[in-house]
Amino acid sequence: MSDPHSPLPDEARSRMPLRIGIDVGGTFTDAVAIDAETLELIGQVKTPTSHDHPDGVAHGIVAALHALLEHVGRTAEDVVFLAHGTTQATNSLLEGDVADIALIGIGTGAGTVFTKRLAALRRIDIAPGRQLPVHYLHVRDPHDADEISAVLDEVEHRGISSVVVTEPFSVDLSEGEEAVGGAARERGLLVTETHRISSLYGLAKRTRTAVLNAVILPRMFATAELVEQSIRSSGIRAPLMVMRCDGGVMSLDEMRRRPLLTVLSGPAAGVAGALMQERVSDGIFLETGGTSTDISVIRSGRVAVQYTRFGGSSTYLSALDVRTVGIGGGSMVRAELSDGSSRVIGVGPRSAHIAGLPYACFAARGELEGARLRSIAPVDGDRPDHLVLETVGGSFALTLTCAANALGLIGDEDYARADPETARAALAPLAAALGVDVAAAARSVLETGVKAVSDVVDEMISDYSLPREQALLVGGGGGAGAVTPFLAESSGLEGRIARHAEVISPIGVALALIREQVERVIPGASEEQILGVRRQAEQAVIAQGADPSEVTVDVTVDPQTDTVRATASGATELRTKDRARRLSEIELLEIAAHSLGADPSRLTALARTDTHVVYETDRRRPWWQLSTRPSHPVRVLDREGVVRYAAPDGVIAQSTVAEAEQVLSGLIAEHTSYGDGGSRAPALHLLVGPRLSDLSGVLDSGALLALARSDLEGRDRAEPVVAVVEKRT
């Protein structure tokens, strides 16, 4: 493959379609061009983020796009997919730079007490010295046009352009919110109705989530308008997508309605890149920049998400579970310096970037000769224990990247690579102060700095019950080499740096799938109601451009909360045509064997479809369970080599679409568990066509069979179907 930093030679500029990913960071905007057929990176550019331009970050997105197309020698007609990720919504909330909003409560009688209490949302802190700018107004009768008009007159009098409409039980009866919201839209106001943000009960949490959406809506809506106008005027007619906080993308139209879904999407982009490019099945993704490391989990080829909190309060926003540690490639080394008893006491959180200093390991050859070790306070109020080297040519910061390069842990092609000799020269004054050799000094720095990251990695492995022997550490970001190699070595976990780690986020943006989640509280949900929630999620991603034949929908029914949740993912049509990365049978067998911890000769390929292979091996149980049959661990791999599902003891059945319903009925009946709490259907994963449907969240046998039946509808009756069943204990 050509060097992505160099223009492509003329002979390489074939008319392959391009997927463009653009990641808007605080300082720079990174853009990448991906071959839509091979998914290989063919070019990348970096441009300054345009915060101060009249068009804001929209200008930077378009500037990056034009620079990228010129760099790779292509035109707008070659672009078949364009997506961008942005920190704009996150920064707006973190900095408190949000719009005033009108919160319009609806109702009379006793319920009014609870609605009017929502005025207290204005006391939620979202930034130091900044609270949610909420103006509470009330409509008693949502069918009284005069009353609604009077309230909206007041909204306009106060100069407010964004409105939240909330009413108790609107998830069941939405007419009131729709009436007030519709009247507000007729006046050109931006409207967020709580039932459209979440269909879950909980008036306060649902309204809180809607308010967070509304306070960023004016700015994000304006950005969306500018981006679309600028992109369309460039001649691009491809789908325009925006990165979501759960690792997927959504259409620009959806972003106009629910900009809150872009909050925390920055870390999600990196994980999406690791998931799609690195084919990670089970692992920990560490995205390391200059100042911090974002840590997240990939389980069975999927990102881990959870409900988020803002201002100390919970919301219904499902976002990537990412935990941030203040350790990055530029984190400065801290030490107590004294004659005969100097010691390293910490690394970071202050970085060389904040101190305005270059990394010592990136100094020119010979520039560190005669360097003198000194400790400083980078910023007023910091402790004066941050180490710098004073030279004739200026000051240089001692950083985590310097220590990793001094130990030779950073590869030749790594973005954080420095001359090892220069790195060792940078560490020499510290080694002398500590009374050890350079290698020992570098190791002391890395042990101190990486410990905080290691503790969080251990915590997340435990929280998600990730098999430690299968947990792969994948490093991304420009500072990946400063953290991941040493962490892998010290923890005994397998680790690697992602290809093109410095642009893993825009790669993730370019490769991400369209995603939508629908949640409903349905007591005693019937089969038809569950199927209805599933269809709604499926249709939502199709409406945003997903190929209907490629959409997968995972359904969970929580009997304790009566929550039915459907999460749909789908690829655009051109993305699904890619077959260049299909691995050979031998390569797939080796990956499955590694995942199972078994010799490849002991594995059996039990079933195959055009897109998946199912492997099994026998494993004897402990001596105290010898009276039972051996377990049969199972791995389902896609043809790209990702382990999409792992079962410690599974039963496999292959049939055709014509036979599947009868086969599934027997399997479900045979493996249903019975106890004091009633019956529990087995965990079922179904492979049909390109789909792997996760139906393990459904406990009712009838609903499970109905969902499986819906996956088979409209398919060729001779098409193979594979069921993987795991009996619940």
Side-chain angles (χ1 to χ4, degrees):
M1 186 181 70
S2 302
D3 180 355
H5 299 279
S6 303
L8 289 172
D10 290 340
E11 62 270 22
R13 293 175 180 170
S14 60
R15 308 312 297 181
M16 62 277 197
L18 298 179
R19 293 177 68 89
I20 304 295
I22 301 175
D23 183 55
V24 182
T27 305
F28 292 104
T29 294
D30 290 304
V32 298
I34 303 288
D35 185 321
E37 295 179 355
T38 66
L39 301 191
E40 289 297 317
L41 176 68
I42 63 172
Q44 64 190 70
V45 298
K46 184 185 292 287
T47 60
T49 296
S50 54
H51 293 294
D52 299 326
H53 192 276
D55 290 345
V57 298
H59 173 77
I61 292 170
V62 177
L65 171 64
H66 286 306
L68 180 65
L69 291 177
E70 181 179 357
H71 176 69
V72 299
R74 305 300 294 282
T75 65
E77 289 75 18
D78 299 317
V79 179
V80 296
F81 178 91
L82 172 63
H84 76 273
T86 175
T87 60
Q88 186 177 14
T90 305
N91 292 343
S92 293
L93 288 174
L94 291 177
E95 297 166 8
D97 186 13
V98 295
D100 282 30
I101 64 129
L103 173 59
I104 302 177
I106 300 173
T108 58
T112 306
V113 175
F114 299 102
T115 308
K116 290 185 174 180
R117 283 180 183 173
L118 296 173
L121 289 175
R122 62 175 172 260
R123 294 197 290 268
I124 292 180
D125 294 319
I126 57 172
R130 190 84 167 105
Q131 296 178 316
L132 279 175
V134 174
H135 301 253
Y136 185 82
L137 300 165
H138 197 83
V139 169
R140 291 172 54 84
D141 182 1
H143 303 294
D144 185 333
D146 291 338
E147 183 183 6
I148 294 174
S149 181
V151 168
L152 294 179
D153 286 345
E154 179 63 21
V155 170
E156 292 180 329
H157 175 71
R158 298 187 188 188
I160 295 172
S161 63
S162 184
V163 172
V164 172
V165 185
T166 183
E167 182 178 20
F169 306 108
S170 62
V171 296
D172 295 323
L173 300 170
S174 60
E175 291 86 352
E177 287 190 359
E178 289 172 354
V180 177
R185 285 192 182 89
E186 289 177 0
R187 295 192 180 210
L189 298 173
L190 299 173
V191 179
T192 303
E193 294 138 327
T194 68
H195 75 274
R196 298 187 189 277
I197 287 293
S198 174
S199 294
L200 298 178
Y201 293 132
L203 177 66
K205 186 183 291 190
R206 192 171 68 250
T207 305
R208 191 182 304 127
T209 308
V211 165
L212 290 170
N213 187 77
V215 295
I216 61 174
L217 184 53
R219 172 173 290 190
M220 298 298 289
F221 190 93
T223 297
E225 293 293 297
L226 288 169
V227 168
E228 183 166 40
Q229 291 171 13
S230 300
I231 294 296
R232 294 308 185 205
S233 66
S234 301
I236 289 178
R237 297 293 177 261
L240 302 181
M241 298 287 170
V242 185
M243 195 73 200
R244 291 167 51 115
C245 54
D246 57 8
V249 291
M250 62 181 174
S251 68
L252 206 60
D253 283 341
E254 278 300 306
M255 196 272 270
R256 289 186 177 96
R257 186 169 70 88
R258 296 181 294 168
L260 187 62
L261 290 177
T262 68
V263 172
L264 304 176
S265 63
V271 181
L275 191 63
M276 301 297 291
Q277 176 185 269
E278 298 298 311
R279 304 197 295 269
V280 181
S281 302
D282 295 285
I284 304 291
F285 179 67
L286 306 104
E287 186 163 15
T288 303
T291 304
S292 62
T293 296
D294 292 328
I295 307 167
S296 46
V297 168
I298 296 173
R299 191 78 167 91
S300 296
R302 297 175 186 174
V303 298
V305 297
Q306 64 175 7
Y307 289 133
T308 60
R309 298 177 66 86
F310 281 100
S313 301
S314 59
T315 73
Y316 280 135
L317 174 65
S318 290
L320 182 77
D321 182 5
V322 59
R323 305 177 196 182
T324 302
V325 179
I327 295 294
S331 294
M332 295 179 67
V333 181
R334 296 166 41 226
E336 290 180 351
L337 300 177
S338 60
D339 292 338
S341 60
S342 297
R343 65 189 183 95
V344 174
I345 60 172
V347 177
R350 194 68 72 200
S351 71
H353 309 77
I354 300 300
L357 296 171
Y359 297 15
C361 58
F362 293 136
R365 279 184 177 271
E367 201 171 3
L368 298 181
E369 287 185 11
R372 183 172 60 88
L373 190 65
R374 190 166 69 89
S375 56
I376 66 166
V379 177
D380 288 345
D382 287 349
R383 293 182 59 182
D385 56 11
H386 296 67
L387 300 184
V388 298
L389 297 181
E390 295 290 355
T391 72
V392 174
S395 299
F396 296 87
L398 273 184
T399 67
L400 203 64
T401 297
C402 298
N405 274 293
L407 279 185
L409 293 175
I410 300 183
D412 291 341
E413 303 301 320
D414 197 295
Y415 188 78
R417 171 78 171 183
D419 177 19
E421 289 300 323
T422 302
R424 285 190 280 272
L427 267 291
L430 175 61
L434 297 176
V436 298
D437 61 22
V438 168
R443 186 165 291 277
S444 176
V445 169
L446 287 163
E447 286 173 349
T448 303
V450 173
K451 184 182 186 305
V453 179
S454 178
D455 289 345
V456 174
V457 167
D458 289 342
E459 178 182 86
M460 297 191 85
I461 287 175
S462 174
D463 287 352
Y464 287 94
S465 301
L466 201 64
R468 195 172 181 88
E469 66 278 5
Q470 295 175 25
L472 173 69
L473 299 178
V474 178
V483 171
T484 302
F486 184 80
L487 178 58
E489 176 189 289
S490 59
S491 66
L493 297 171
E494 182 181 354
R496 69 169 183 256
I497 304 296
R499 290 176 297 147
H500 316 299
E502 73 280 8
V503 287
I504 193 68
S505 286
I507 288 174
V509 173
L511 298 180
L513 301 176
I514 301 171
R515 184 180 171 98
E516 187 60 80
Q517 179 172 288
V518 176
E519 297 176 295
R520 295 279 184 273
V521 175
I522 309 176
S526 66
E527 296 172 12
E528 187 54 40
Q529 288 172 317
I530 295 171
L531 287 171
V533 174
R534 177 189 176 127
R535 281 192 292 269
Q536 185 178 349
E538 183 177 34
Q539 290 303 313
V541 296
I542 292 172
Q544 295 178 63
D547 182 352
S549 67
E550 302 284 348
V551 174
T552 61
V553 188
D554 298 339
V555 179
T556 301
V557 181
D558 187 338
Q560 295 185 331
T561 62
D562 291 320
T563 302
V564 181
R565 180 179 298 108
T567 304
S569 299
T572 56
E573 186 172 358
L574 276 166
R575 165 68 181 86
T576 66
K577 302 305 180 187
D578 166 49
R579 291 293 180 265
R581 291 171 13 137
R582 290 164 67 96
L583 302 184
S584 68
E585 292 285 339
I586 293 176
E587 290 172 314
L588 292 173
L589 180 64
E590 290 175 349
I591 293 171
H594 178 75
S595 175
L596 287 162
D599 188 279
S601 63
R602 295 189 56 202
L603 268 62
T604 303
L606 288 182
R608 288 181 174 84
T609 68
D610 186 51
T611 53
H612 294 86
V613 184
V614 183
Y615 293 94
E616 178 195 68
T617 186
D618 286 344
R619 182 165 295 161
R620 292 189 177 278
R621 295 186 183 273
W623 62 267
W624 60 86
Q625 296 180 2
L626 288 180
S627 60
T628 61
R629 67 173 181 82
S631 63
H632 296 277
V634 168
R635 298 292 184 268
V636 178
L637 275 68
D638 66 22
R639 296 284 182 172
E640 294 180 0
V642 178
V643 179
R644 292 299 181 188
Y645 176 56
D649 190 11
V651 175
I652 312 300
Q654 181 155 7
S655 60
T656 64
V657 170
E659 306 163 340
E661 185 171 348
Q662 182 177 353
V663 171
L664 288 171
S665 296
L667 274 175
I668 292 171
E670 180 182 355
H671 296 284
T672 293
S673 301
Y674 298 90
D676 294 340
S679 63
R680 290 160 57 89
L684 173 65
H685 286 73
L686 197 64
L687 286 80
V688 55
R691 300 179 179 180
L692 170 58
S693 296
D694 180 358
L695 305 179
S696 60
V698 181
L699 303 180
D700 178 76
S701 298
L704 180 58
L705 189 57
L707 286 167
R709 191 184 300 119
S710 71
D711 264 344
L712 305 175
E713 290 177 357
R715 307 203 72 92
D716 189 319
R717 291 176 61 79
E719 189 173 1
V721 176
V722 179
V724 184
V725 170
E726 188 177 357
K727 189 169 184 175
R728 304 182 195 272
T729 57

